[in-house]
Amino acid sequence: MNALTDPFQRRLTYLRLSVTDLCNYRCVYCLPDGYQGKAKPDELSLREIETLVQTFARNGTRKIRLTGGEPTLRRDLADIIAVCKAQPEIENVALTTNAFKLAKLFPAYRAAGLDKLNISIDSFDPEVFYQITGKRECRNILRALDDILAEGFYSIKVNTLLMRRYIDRTLADALEFVRHRPVTLRFIELMQTRDNFSLFNAQHLSAAGLEADLQAQGWQLLPRQAHAGPAREYRHRDFAGGIGFIAPYSKDFCRSCNRLRVSAQGKMHLCLFGGTAYDLRPWLQQGDTEGLQQHLHELMAEKPEHHFLHNKKFGLIRDLSMIGG
Protein backbone atom coordinates (compact mmCIF):
# COMPACT_ATOMS: atom_id res chain seq x y z
CA MET A 1 0.00 0.00 0.00
CA ASN A 2 1.31 3.42 -0.98
CA ALA A 3 -0.24 6.34 0.89
CA LEU A 4 -1.82 9.01 -1.27
CA THR A 5 0.78 11.79 -1.48
CA ASP A 6 0.67 15.04 -3.42
CA PRO A 7 3.52 16.74 -5.33
CA PHE A 8 4.41 18.74 -2.21
CA GLN A 9 5.01 15.56 -0.15
CA ARG A 10 1.84 16.02 1.89
CA ARG A 11 0.22 12.74 2.85
CA LEU A 12 -3.53 12.79 2.35
CA THR A 13 -4.78 10.93 5.42
CA TYR A 14 -8.09 12.74 5.99
CA LEU A 15 -11.21 12.20 3.85
CA ARG A 16 -14.21 14.50 4.09
CA LEU A 17 -17.15 12.62 2.59
CA SER A 18 -20.40 14.44 1.90
CA VAL A 19 -23.34 12.03 2.03
CA THR A 20 -26.04 14.48 0.92
CA ASP A 21 -26.46 18.03 -0.41
CA LEU A 22 -29.81 18.31 1.35
CA CYS A 23 -30.06 20.71 4.27
CA ASN A 24 -32.98 21.71 6.51
CA TYR A 25 -31.52 25.05 7.65
CA ARG A 26 -31.52 28.47 5.99
CA CYS A 27 -28.21 29.85 7.17
CA VAL A 28 -27.58 33.37 5.92
CA TYR A 29 -24.03 32.49 4.86
CA CYS A 30 -24.86 29.34 2.93
CA LEU A 31 -28.52 28.79 1.91
CA PRO A 32 -30.42 31.93 2.93
CA ASP A 33 -33.44 30.85 0.87
CA GLY A 34 -33.25 27.26 2.07
CA TYR A 35 -32.44 24.15 0.06
CA GLN A 36 -34.29 24.20 -3.24
CA GLY A 37 -36.03 20.96 -4.15
CA LYS A 38 -35.56 17.48 -2.75
CA ALA A 39 -32.50 15.34 -2.12
CA LYS A 40 -30.80 14.46 -5.39
CA PRO A 41 -31.59 10.91 -6.52
CA ASP A 42 -27.98 10.25 -7.48
CA GLU A 43 -26.47 10.27 -3.98
CA LEU A 44 -23.86 7.59 -3.43
CA SER A 45 -25.37 4.29 -2.35
CA LEU A 46 -24.18 2.43 0.72
CA ARG A 47 -22.43 -0.10 -1.53
CA GLU A 48 -20.63 2.66 -3.43
CA ILE A 49 -19.60 4.30 -0.16
CA GLU A 50 -18.18 0.98 1.02
CA THR A 51 -16.05 0.70 -2.14
CA LEU A 52 -14.90 4.29 -1.72
CA VAL A 53 -14.01 3.91 1.95
CA GLN A 54 -12.22 0.59 1.47
CA THR A 55 -10.07 2.04 -1.27
CA PHE A 56 -9.18 5.22 0.60
CA ALA A 57 -8.45 3.28 3.80
CA ARG A 58 -6.06 0.95 1.97
CA ASN A 59 -4.26 3.98 0.53
CA GLY A 60 -3.44 5.91 3.66
CA THR A 61 -6.72 7.46 4.86
CA ARG A 62 -6.92 7.30 8.65
CA LYS A 63 -9.75 9.71 9.41
CA ILE A 64 -13.14 10.09 7.75
CA ARG A 65 -15.49 12.98 8.41
CA LEU A 66 -19.08 12.63 7.24
CA THR A 67 -20.61 15.92 6.14
CA GLY A 68 -23.41 17.36 4.01
CA GLY A 69 -25.54 19.40 3.49
CA GLU A 70 -26.89 17.98 6.69
CA PRO A 71 -25.75 14.33 6.92
CA THR A 72 -28.32 13.29 9.53
CA LEU A 73 -31.02 13.73 6.89
CA ARG A 74 -29.83 10.44 5.37
CA ARG A 75 -31.81 7.68 7.01
CA ASP A 76 -28.97 5.21 6.53
CA LEU A 77 -26.33 7.40 8.20
CA ALA A 78 -25.78 4.89 11.01
CA ASP A 79 -25.07 2.24 8.36
CA ILE A 80 -22.62 4.58 6.65
CA ILE A 81 -20.83 5.16 9.96
CA ALA A 82 -20.64 1.40 10.50
CA VAL A 83 -19.17 0.85 7.02
CA CYS A 84 -16.48 3.45 7.72
CA LYS A 85 -15.72 2.04 11.16
CA ALA A 86 -15.45 -1.51 9.78
CA GLN A 87 -12.28 -0.63 7.88
CA PRO A 88 -9.36 -1.65 10.16
CA GLU A 89 -7.14 1.16 8.87
CA ILE A 90 -9.58 3.92 9.86
CA GLU A 91 -8.69 5.35 13.26
CA ASN A 92 -11.48 7.92 13.58
CA VAL A 93 -14.95 8.37 12.14
CA ALA A 94 -16.30 11.88 12.72
CA LEU A 95 -19.58 13.62 11.97
CA THR A 96 -20.32 17.31 11.37
CA THR A 97 -23.98 18.18 11.96
CA ASN A 98 -26.32 21.04 12.73
CA ALA A 99 -27.60 18.74 15.50
CA PHE A 100 -31.24 18.85 14.43
CA LYS A 101 -32.89 15.89 16.25
CA LEU A 102 -29.48 14.89 17.62
CA ALA A 103 -30.93 13.76 20.94
CA LYS A 104 -32.98 11.15 19.11
CA LEU A 105 -30.37 10.11 16.55
CA PHE A 106 -27.09 10.09 18.48
CA PRO A 107 -27.51 6.72 20.28
CA ALA A 108 -27.66 4.90 16.93
CA TYR A 109 -24.64 6.77 15.62
CA ARG A 110 -22.62 6.00 18.71
CA ALA A 111 -23.60 2.33 18.55
CA ALA A 112 -22.45 2.26 14.92
CA GLY A 113 -18.98 3.40 16.01
CA LEU A 114 -18.92 7.18 15.80
CA ASP A 115 -15.73 8.52 17.39
CA LYS A 116 -16.01 12.29 17.10
CA LEU A 117 -18.82 14.81 16.82
CA ASN A 118 -18.76 18.39 15.53
CA ILE A 119 -21.86 20.49 16.14
CA SER A 120 -22.53 23.78 14.38
CA ILE A 121 -23.77 26.43 16.81
CA ASP A 122 -23.38 29.92 15.38
CA SER A 123 -24.80 31.68 18.45
CA PHE A 124 -25.76 30.76 22.01
CA ASP A 125 -28.44 33.42 21.96
CA PRO A 126 -31.67 31.73 20.75
CA GLU A 127 -32.86 34.82 18.89
CA VAL A 128 -29.54 35.40 17.13
CA PHE A 129 -29.37 31.67 16.36
CA TYR A 130 -32.75 32.03 14.66
CA GLN A 131 -31.61 35.08 12.71
CA ILE A 132 -28.60 33.17 11.36
CA THR A 133 -30.12 29.71 10.75
CA GLY A 134 -33.85 30.22 10.38
CA LYS A 135 -34.45 27.63 13.11
CA ARG A 136 -35.55 27.94 16.73
CA GLU A 137 -33.47 24.99 17.85
CA CYS A 138 -30.76 26.60 19.98
CA ARG A 139 -32.03 25.45 23.37
CA ASN A 140 -32.77 21.92 22.12
CA ILE A 141 -29.28 21.57 20.67
CA LEU A 142 -27.57 22.80 23.84
CA ARG A 143 -29.67 20.42 25.92
CA ALA A 144 -28.76 17.50 23.65
CA LEU A 145 -25.07 18.41 23.80
CA ASP A 146 -25.07 18.49 27.59
CA ASP A 147 -26.91 15.15 27.71
CA ILE A 148 -24.27 13.57 25.45
CA LEU A 149 -21.50 14.91 27.68
CA ALA A 150 -23.32 13.51 30.71
CA GLU A 151 -23.24 10.08 29.05
CA GLY A 152 -19.44 10.25 28.93
CA PHE A 153 -18.94 11.09 25.25
CA TYR A 154 -16.40 13.92 25.31
CA SER A 155 -15.06 13.98 21.74
CA ILE A 156 -17.18 16.98 20.82
CA LYS A 157 -16.28 20.20 19.08
CA VAL A 158 -18.53 23.17 18.41
CA ASN A 159 -18.18 25.14 15.18
CA THR A 160 -19.10 28.83 15.26
CA LEU A 161 -18.90 31.11 12.25
CA LEU A 162 -17.11 34.40 12.76
CA MET A 163 -19.42 37.26 11.75
CA ARG A 164 -18.52 40.87 12.43
CA ARG A 165 -22.09 41.80 13.45
CA TYR A 166 -22.27 39.32 16.33
CA ILE A 167 -18.69 38.79 17.47
CA ASP A 168 -18.70 40.70 20.77
CA ARG A 169 -21.58 38.72 22.24
CA THR A 170 -20.55 35.47 20.57
CA LEU A 171 -17.00 35.54 21.95
CA ALA A 172 -18.19 36.23 25.49
CA ASP A 173 -20.76 33.44 25.29
CA ALA A 174 -18.19 31.06 23.82
CA LEU A 175 -15.75 31.59 26.67
CA GLU A 176 -18.48 31.04 29.21
CA PHE A 177 -19.60 27.91 27.37
CA VAL A 178 -16.19 26.22 27.52
CA ARG A 179 -15.42 27.35 31.06
CA HIS A 180 -17.01 24.24 32.58
CA ARG A 181 -17.46 21.95 29.55
CA PRO A 182 -14.67 19.74 28.15
CA VAL A 183 -15.51 20.90 24.62
CA THR A 184 -13.44 22.75 22.04
CA LEU A 185 -15.19 25.63 20.31
CA ARG A 186 -13.66 26.61 16.99
CA PHE A 187 -14.29 29.95 15.34
CA ILE A 188 -14.37 29.62 11.55
CA GLU A 189 -13.69 32.57 9.29
CA LEU A 190 -16.42 33.33 6.78
CA MET A 191 -15.30 32.15 3.33
CA GLN A 192 -16.36 33.73 0.08
CA THR A 193 -18.39 31.59 -2.33
CA ARG A 194 -20.18 32.33 -5.56
CA ASP A 195 -23.43 33.25 -3.80
CA ASN A 196 -22.37 35.25 -0.73
CA PHE A 197 -20.45 38.29 -2.06
CA SER A 198 -22.47 40.96 -0.21
CA LEU A 199 -22.51 39.08 3.08
CA PHE A 200 -18.80 38.31 2.88
CA ASN A 201 -17.88 41.95 2.26
CA ALA A 202 -20.03 43.11 5.17
CA GLN A 203 -19.39 40.38 7.73
CA HIS A 204 -15.97 38.83 7.13
CA LEU A 205 -13.73 39.13 10.18
CA SER A 206 -10.16 37.91 10.43
CA ALA A 207 -9.45 35.53 13.29
CA ALA A 208 -5.97 36.99 13.83
CA GLY A 209 -7.02 39.71 16.27
CA LEU A 210 -9.09 37.35 18.42
CA GLU A 211 -6.29 34.81 18.48
CA ALA A 212 -3.78 37.43 19.60
CA ASP A 213 -6.13 38.63 22.36
CA LEU A 214 -6.52 35.10 23.74
CA GLN A 215 -2.77 34.57 23.70
CA ALA A 216 -2.38 37.76 25.71
CA GLN A 217 -4.87 36.36 28.23
CA GLY A 218 -2.78 33.23 28.81
CA TRP A 219 -4.25 30.79 26.32
CA GLN A 220 -1.61 28.30 25.11
CA LEU A 221 -1.42 26.86 21.61
CA LEU A 222 -1.62 23.05 21.51
CA PRO A 223 0.49 20.83 19.24
CA ARG A 224 -1.38 19.71 16.14
CA GLN A 225 -2.58 16.11 16.37
CA ALA A 226 -2.03 13.49 13.69
CA HIS A 227 -4.64 13.54 10.88
CA ALA A 228 -6.20 16.70 12.33
CA GLY A 229 -7.69 19.44 10.23
CA PRO A 230 -6.27 22.96 9.99
CA ALA A 231 -7.59 24.39 13.28
CA ARG A 232 -5.22 26.09 15.71
CA GLU A 233 -6.47 25.08 19.17
CA TYR A 234 -5.75 26.70 22.54
CA ARG A 235 -6.16 25.73 26.19
CA HIS A 236 -6.23 27.77 29.40
CA ARG A 237 -5.74 26.41 32.89
CA ASP A 238 -8.94 28.07 34.13
CA PHE A 239 -11.19 26.51 31.48
CA ALA A 240 -12.39 22.91 31.07
CA GLY A 241 -12.64 23.30 27.31
CA GLY A 242 -10.69 24.99 24.55
CA ILE A 243 -10.95 27.60 21.84
CA GLY A 244 -9.80 27.08 18.28
CA PHE A 245 -9.57 28.99 15.03
CA ILE A 246 -9.97 27.89 11.43
CA ALA A 247 -8.62 30.79 9.40
CA PRO A 248 -8.37 30.01 5.68
CA TYR A 249 -7.15 33.53 4.88
CA SER A 250 -4.17 33.22 7.22
CA LYS A 251 -0.60 32.82 6.04
CA ASP A 252 0.46 29.22 5.32
CA PHE A 253 -3.06 27.86 5.97
CA CYS A 254 -2.58 25.20 3.27
CA ARG A 255 0.97 24.20 4.15
CA SER A 256 -0.03 21.08 6.10
CA CYS A 257 -3.13 20.20 4.06
CA ASN A 258 -3.93 16.51 4.47
CA ARG A 259 -7.51 16.53 3.14
CA LEU A 260 -9.40 15.19 0.18
CA ARG A 261 -13.11 15.74 -0.36
CA VAL A 262 -15.71 13.61 -2.10
CA SER A 263 -19.18 14.91 -2.86
CA ALA A 264 -22.46 13.07 -2.38
CA GLN A 265 -22.41 12.29 -6.10
CA GLY A 266 -18.92 10.76 -6.04
CA LYS A 267 -16.95 13.75 -7.35
CA MET A 268 -13.54 14.25 -5.74
CA HIS A 269 -12.34 17.78 -4.99
CA LEU A 270 -8.59 18.04 -4.46
CA CYS A 271 -9.14 21.47 -2.87
CA LEU A 272 -12.35 22.89 -1.42
CA PHE A 273 -12.02 25.85 -3.75
CA GLY A 274 -10.54 24.05 -6.73
CA GLY A 275 -11.89 24.42 -10.24
CA THR A 276 -12.23 20.73 -11.12
CA ALA A 277 -14.26 17.85 -9.68
CA TYR A 278 -13.05 14.39 -10.66
CA ASP A 279 -15.72 11.75 -11.17
CA LEU A 280 -15.07 8.53 -9.22
CA ARG A 281 -18.50 7.06 -10.01
CA PRO A 282 -17.45 4.65 -12.80
CA TRP A 283 -15.21 2.71 -10.39
CA LEU A 284 -17.66 2.96 -7.48
CA GLN A 285 -20.53 1.59 -9.53
CA GLN A 286 -18.43 -1.40 -10.55
CA GLY A 287 -16.99 -1.99 -7.08
CA ASP A 288 -13.56 -1.68 -8.70
CA THR A 289 -11.19 -0.95 -5.84
CA GLU A 290 -8.05 -1.72 -7.88
CA GLY A 291 -9.04 0.61 -10.70
CA LEU A 292 -10.06 3.33 -8.26
CA GLN A 293 -6.78 3.01 -6.40
CA GLN A 294 -4.78 3.55 -9.57
CA HIS A 295 -6.96 6.50 -10.56
CA LEU A 296 -6.57 8.17 -7.15
CA HIS A 297 -2.79 7.95 -7.27
CA GLU A 298 -2.79 9.46 -10.75
CA LEU A 299 -4.99 12.35 -9.59
CA MET A 300 -2.69 13.28 -6.72
CA ALA A 301 -0.37 14.96 -9.21
CA GLU A 302 -3.11 17.56 -9.77
CA LYS A 303 -3.54 18.66 -6.13
CA PRO A 304 -2.63 22.36 -5.87
CA GLU A 305 -0.24 23.74 -3.29
CA HIS A 306 -2.82 26.20 -1.93
CA HIS A 307 -6.19 27.80 -2.58
CA PHE A 308 -6.66 31.16 -4.30
CA LEU A 309 -9.23 32.76 -2.00
CA HIS A 310 -7.05 35.83 -1.62
CA ASN A 311 -7.57 36.40 -5.35
CA LYS A 312 -11.34 35.88 -4.96
CA LYS A 313 -11.15 32.59 -6.84
CA PHE A 314 -13.53 30.08 -5.25
CA GLY A 315 -13.66 27.47 -7.98
CA LEU A 316 -16.83 25.40 -8.25
CA ILE A 317 -18.22 26.26 -4.83
CA ARG A 318 -21.59 27.97 -5.12
CA ASP A 319 -22.38 27.38 -1.45
CA LEU A 320 -20.87 25.18 1.27
CA SER A 321 -23.79 22.72 1.28
CA MET A 322 -22.32 21.38 -1.96
CA ILE A 323 -19.50 19.59 -0.19
CA GLY A 324 -19.60 20.34 3.50
CA GLY A 325 -16.80 22.88 3.80
Side-chain angles (χ1 to χ4, degrees), residues 106 110 143-154 156 182:
F106 180 74
R110 188 176 187 183
R143 188 180 305 115
L145 190 157
D146 282 337
D147 288 345
I148 291 171
L149 287 172
E151 294 171 4
F153 188 94
Y154 300 127
I156 301 175

Side-chain angles (χ1 to χ4, degrees), residues 10-300:
R10 298 176 299 196
R11 296 185 65 179
L12 291 311
T13 62
Y14 179 3
L15 172 65
R16 296 179 63 97
L17 172 60
S18 175
V19 297
T20 185
D21 294 338
L22 187 64
C23 188
N24 56 342
Y25 274 35
R26 300 194 307 273
C27 296
V28 296
Y29 53 84
C30 186
L31 294 173
D33 298 320
Y35 187 88
Q36 303 301 305
K38 299 180 180 179
K40 294 182 175 64
D42 59 348
E43 291 175 349
L44 292 174
S45 69
L46 186 63
R47 184 180 67 83
E48 289 175 311
I49 289 173
E50 184 172 21
T51 298
L52 178 79
V53 169
Q54 285 179 347
T55 307
F56 272 85
R58 293 169 185 173
N59 288 271
T61 295
R62 296 296 174 261
K63 177 181 179 180
I64 297 176
R65 177 169 299 283
L66 301 173
T67 70
E70 173 45 43
T72 64
L73 296 179
R74 273 198 66 150
R75 295 182 179 180
D76 61 349
L77 182 59
D79 296 327
I80 294 172
I81 293 170
V83 161
C84 295
K85 191 65 176 177
Q87 311 309 315
E89 301 92 346
I90 299 301
E91 298 172 9
N92 289 296
V93 179
L95 172 67
T96 294
T97 174
N98 63 29
F100 186 78
K101 295 186 177 179
L102 184 63
K104 176 182 177 181
L105 299 171
F106 180 74
Y109 300 157
R110 188 176 187 183
L114 186 69
D115 297 300
K116 298 177 180 293
L117 180 66
N118 284 23
I119 300 175
S120 298
I121 306 176
D122 289 316
S123 175
F124 296 98
D125 180 316
E127 190 57 36
V128 174
F129 185 94
Y130 174 71
Q131 292 172 17
I132 295 173
T133 68
K135 292 288 184 179
R136 296 196 180 278
E137 290 292 326
C138 185
R139 290 187 177 91
N140 293 333
I141 291 169
L142 294 175
R143 188 180 305 115
L145 190 157
D146 282 337
D147 288 345
I148 291 171
L149 287 172
E151 294 171 4
F153 188 94
Y154 300 127
S155 298
I156 301 175
K157 295 182 179 179
V158 171
N159 294 336
T160 299
L161 191 73
L162 272 177
M163 298 180 71
R164 184 179 300 277
R165 177 181 177 184
Y166 303 113
I167 185 55
D168 289 342
R169 173 69 184 275
T170 301
L171 178 59
D173 287 347
L175 290 170
E176 188 60 31
F177 183 79
V178 301
R179 186 178 298 277
H180 302 295
R181 292 178 178 87
V183 169
T184 297
L185 185 146
R186 292 106 56 83
F187 287 106
I188 303 175
E189 284 185 352
L190 179 64
M191 292 172 277
Q192 187 170 343
T193 65
R194 192 188 312 167
D195 287 354
N196 74 354
F197 279 9
S198 296
L199 182 79
F200 178 84
N201 290 332
Q203 298 298 334
H204 178 261
L205 179 68
S206 171
L210 298 177
E211 195 168 351
D213 287 346
L214 287 185
Q215 289 174 330
Q217 295 168 26
W219 289 78
Q220 301 292 317
L221 182 65
L222 297 179
R224 186 170 178 268
Q225 296 181 353
H227 319 305
R232 290 168 56 87
E233 296 187 354
Y234 291 82
R235 288 290 187 275
H236 191 289
R237 63 183 182 181
D238 295 333
F239 291 76
I243 295 289
F245 297 92
I246 298 177
Y249 292 88
S250 63
K251 185 177 183 293
D252 296 329
F253 178 77
C254 300
R255 175 181 291 178
S256 59
C257 182
N258 59 354
R259 296 173 302 290
L260 295 168
R261 294 170 171 84
V262 175
S263 75
Q265 288 73 41
K267 302 289 181 63
M268 186 167 73
H269 296 244
L270 297 174
C271 173
L272 175 59
F273 293 98
T276 305
Y278 301 89
D279 191 8
L280 308 182
R281 207 77 189 251
W283 294 272
L284 300 179
Q285 289 175 332
Q286 298 298 320
D288 183 3
T289 56
E290 294 299 320
L292 179 59
Q293 173 176 289
Q294 180 178 345
H295 187 56
L296 291 177
H297 281 280
E298 291 170 353
L299 290 178
M300 290 308 100

